[in-house]
Amino acid sequence: IKKLKDIARKYNKDYPAETSECLIATFLTSISASVGDEQTIGLLIEMLHKQHVFNAMKEAIPMEDAKKLIEIGEICLGNVHELLSNGETWSSTMALEIIKGIKSEKSVPYLVRFIKENENEDWGDCCEDAMFALNEIGKPAVDHLLRTIRTDFENKQFFIYLVGGLTEIKDDRVYS
């Protein structure tokens, strides 16, 4: 926690202390026990602050902030995947944008779990963003999606965003 507070102070020096403390609490909840490299944590804290401010104004986080983490690439995915555990929150929305930009096959199981856990909830619409992330990952996601959907069908379960994620990927395996 001390390390996170030190990083938060470094990256949030222009923000009021109470905002930083609120962000630290939010960040600790979002990331739980997972602590990554300082650059990733700092950028996430910075983005959480901005999103906190933007939420108050009912606007979305600026894409240029998400691009910073997208540029870091797969190395930040551990921290970003943890944000998906929060259902419909701005942290999961931010994580979905970052995952969509990184386009890593490593994110497929997390996106599948996110859709399965949230599609039938009040906030199921945010699963559309997870579906779009699967579309962006493309062909590397096909095998995992096919296995998951077949198993779901055998168990008489249907997740429209998983099927939609699969059918939008242009690959012969999808329709065989």
Side-chain angles (χ1 to χ4, degrees):
I1 293 175
K2 182 185 180 328
K3 180 181 178 183
L4 286 172
K5 286 184 177 184
D6 291 343
I7 295 169
R9 284 187 197 96
K10 176 180 174 182
Y11 283 85
N12 287 312
K13 57 186 167 253
D14 297 328
Y15 309 137
E18 64 275 5
T19 302
S20 291
E21 292 299 317
C22 174
L23 289 170
I24 292 166
T26 303
F27 185 71
L28 286 171
T29 301
S30 299
I31 298 300
S32 59
S34 169
V35 177
D37 65 284
E38 181 176 328
Q39 182 183 16
T40 301
I41 292 170
L43 287 170
L44 285 168
I45 289 171
E46 203 174 311
M47 290 174 69
L48 287 170
H49 168 75
K50 288 182 181 177
Q51 190 62 52
H52 178 71
V53 171
F54 281 101
N55 274 351
M57 299 184 311
K58 304 290 186 222
E59 294 181 22
I61 190 164
M63 191 58 191
E64 65 266 10
D65 290 332
K67 287 180 183 176
K68 293 175 187 176
L69 285 167
I70 292 168
E71 288 171 11
I72 292 173
E74 287 187 351
I75 196 167
C76 75
L77 283 177
N79 295 94
V80 173
H81 290 151
E82 289 294 322
L83 295 173
L84 292 178
S85 63
N86 295 319
E88 187 190 67
T89 61
W90 43 263
S91 58
S92 64
T93 302
M94 175 183 67
L96 289 168
E97 283 302 310
I98 294 165
I99 290 168
K100 186 167 66 171
I102 293 175
K103 303 176 189 175
S104 173
E105 183 177 3
K106 293 177 182 179
S107 296
V108 174
Y110 296 94
L111 293 167
V112 168
R113 184 175 63 220
F114 181 84
I115 289 171
K116 286 181 154 195
E117 290 175 356
N118 295 292
E119 182 171 305
N120 295 315
E121 299 298 325
D122 291 339
W123 52 83
D125 291 348
C126 62
C127 292
E128 186 175 43
D129 292 327
M131 178 186 72
F132 291 145
L134 288 167
N135 296 155
E136 288 296 319
I137 293 168
K139 292 181 181 185
V142 170
D143 288 334
H144 188 95
L145 287 171
L146 283 171
R147 280 191 310 273
T148 301
I149 292 168
R150 284 184 183 130
T151 301
D152 290 343
F153 281 174
E154 289 170 6
N155 294 320
K156 299 188 181 354
Q157 294 178 321
F158 179 77
F159 296 94
I160 194 162
Y161 291 108
L162 289 180
V163 173
L166 177 65
T167 58
E168 286 298 313
I169 299 171
K170 307 302 179 224
D171 188 294
D172 292 339
R173 295 174 292 168
V174 172
Y175 299 101
S176 59

